[in-house]
Amino acid sequence: MTKEFVCEYISDKIIKEGNFIRITFFDIRVRHNLSADEVEEFLKEAKEILEDKDYQVYFTTAKYTYKHEQRIVQDNEYLIAIKDDENNKRQ
């Protein structure tokens, strides 16, 4: 897994999902075949990239608010990233 892979993956997610990005266990571990160590590195890089693009980043079991609804990052989700705007207020 390279930094280039992470950048391309995040860019693709932003294009496809916009202001609400979900990165799941299935997508990273199964579809992209990353090891546990690679997942840790991937999530660290992804967090940095997303925060630089003004996303709020939440990891498994964290609480967040999206469209005025309180939610929790589920066990099968590694990361949720939300672009701040008037409809998505950070807690």
Side-chain angles (χ1 to χ4, degrees):
M1 192 222 40
T2 65
K3 186 168 183 152
E4 183 178 314
F5 167 78
V6 180
C7 290
E8 288 177 13
Y9 181 92
I10 296 300
S11 293
D12 187 52
K13 282 288 201 180
I14 290 171
I15 290 167
K16 290 179 180 175
E17 299 178 11
N19 291 340
F20 185 86
I21 294 173
R22 176 181 287 126
I23 298 176
T24 65
F25 173 90
F26 179 80
D27 193 32
I28 298 301
R29 288 294 303 262
V30 177
R31 192 174 291 152
H32 291 287
N33 197 33
L34 297 185
S35 69
D37 289 339
E38 289 173 320
V39 168
E40 280 188 47
E41 184 181 333
F42 173 91
L43 293 173
K44 181 181 174 185
E45 297 279 343
K47 180 181 188 282
E48 187 176 301
I49 292 167
L50 288 162
E51 286 180 341
D52 284 347
K53 296 180 181 294
D54 297 324
Y55 282 82
Q56 297 301 317
V57 178
Y58 305 92
F59 295 101
T60 307
T61 71
K63 293 179 183 180
Y64 64 96
T65 301
Y66 181 66
K67 294 189 176 181
H68 308 289
E69 181 179 314
Q70 186 160 356
R71 301 177 184 190
I72 297 174
V73 182
Q74 299 300 306
D75 289 338
N76 66 331
E77 299 170 325
Y78 278 128
L79 181 151
I80 297 291
I82 303 169
K83 183 98 170 191
D84 269 346
D85 67 21
E86 65 278 355
N87 294 318
N88 307 315
K89 299 295 183 193
R90 183 176 183 192
Q91 284 187 306

